[in-house]
Amino acid sequence: MAYILHIETATKNCSVALSFEGKLIASQELATDGYAHAEKLHVFIKATLQQANVQFAQLNAIAVSKGPGSYTGLRIGNSAAKGLCFSLNIPLLAVDTLAVLATQAQSKVKEGFIVPMLDARRMEVYSAVYTPQVEISQAVQAEILDEQSYGACSEALYFVGDCQDKLKTVLTQPNFHFIPEIVYPSAKDMLAISYAKYINKEFEDLAYYEPFYLKDFVGTISKK
């Protein structure tokens, strides 16, 4: 028997879910224009466990979305996950953020490829390519999009993520499709991946694990 707590904070969506044997039993999430992760994450964790009447001591593992995504969001979510694992002496499972996003499109895509993309500002995105079974076809990368992007692909491509409005201005081929209702990754879509990792004992080394930022953080100074 396995209770797994899932944490997803790679985007504006602050999301927590609890599963038992890979099945969802409780969840909390909120997507806002800003980032509410620092204020909401631990509140959501407590509320999710209370909703399911499960104690921290009953958890068997923590699963966290490892990135890429918001640098600050990943720091908050992954720090919370590691802290819980250390204090409860349970394993950490790290799940690819873009795979979580692609999972939402499984029921809608039967052919071609799923292309999850997250905004990295201007025309740059974090992207990957998956089969409809969410098997990796093209590894995660940071890329700058233009009218030539994915032009060599003749198969149907289904784009999901939080940057679809800007994608539509450059990705205009007839085999390109958008699924506007799939915007942010959610902890509720981590369940199958994390449970498989738990069964296979694909645990992270807590001492050395870090989120997958993909790009180095670049700080800016306010003009105010």
Side-chain angles (χ1 to χ4, degrees):
M1 298 189 297
Y3 283 107
I4 302 177
L5 183 71
H6 306 76
I7 296 172
E8 213 312 311
T9 58
T11 65
K12 293 179 180 179
N13 191 30
C14 182
S15 181
V16 176
L18 180 67
S19 68
F20 180 72
E21 300 294 288
K23 304 297 182 181
L24 179 69
I25 57 175
S27 66
Q28 298 275 326
E29 66 181 358
L30 176 68
T32 63
D33 289 337
Y35 285 85
H37 304 27
E39 296 84 6
K40 297 295 185 181
L41 179 57
H42 290 281
V43 175
F44 284 176
I45 291 172
K46 183 178 179 180
T48 298
L49 293 177
Q50 288 178 338
Q51 181 183 346
N53 196 26
V54 172
Q55 305 299 315
F56 279 101
Q58 293 176 261
L59 296 176
N60 300 100
I62 307 292
V64 67
S65 179
K66 70 178 183 180
S70 159
Y71 185 92
T72 301
L74 290 172
R75 291 267 303 204
I76 292 170
N78 282 263
S79 295
K82 288 183 69 173
L84 287 170
C85 289
F86 271 119
S87 62
L88 298 171
N89 193 29
I90 57 177
L92 175 68
L93 307 165
V95 180
D96 292 327
T97 300
L98 293 177
V100 176
L101 187 56
T103 297
Q104 295 185 49
Q106 272 189 291
S107 63
K108 301 176 182 294
V109 177
K110 304 303 180 183
E111 60 180 7
F113 295 94
I114 304 167
V115 188
M117 289 186 172
L118 293 177
D119 198 356
R121 297 184 180 180
R122 299 185 178 87
M123 292 308 294
E124 188 171 18
V125 298
Y126 302 129
S127 67
V129 179
Y130 293 88
T131 69
Q133 296 74 40
V134 193
E135 297 170 345
I136 191 72
S137 178
Q138 180 176 296
V140 178
Q141 63 178 339
E143 61 174 330
I144 297 174
L145 299 175
D146 58 30
E147 289 79 1
Q148 308 304 316
S149 299
Y150 298 89
C153 183
S154 59
E155 297 190 66
L157 298 182
Y158 294 84
F159 296 94
V160 297
D162 64 356
C163 50
Q164 294 185 59
D165 286 343
K166 75 178 182 182
L167 299 184
K168 292 176 182 178
T169 65
V170 293
L171 302 179
T172 58
Q173 290 189 191
N175 59 313
F176 294 167
H177 308 280
F178 297 90
I179 308 178
E181 63 270 25
I182 301 178
V183 179
Y184 299 122
S186 169
K188 293 181 291 186
D189 298 297
M190 296 171 62
L191 311 188
I193 300 173
S194 60
Y195 188 58
K197 283 178 171 284
Y198 179 80
I199 293 298
N200 294 323
K201 297 185 178 181
E202 297 177 29
F203 306 143
E204 300 297 327
D205 186 326
L206 282 177
Y208 297 101
Y209 168 77
E210 292 184 353
F212 178 45
Y213 295 118
L214 188 57
K215 293 174 59 180
D216 292 333
F217 174 73
V218 179
T220 59
I221 298 175
S222 174
K223 297 180 180 179
K224 295 182 180 180

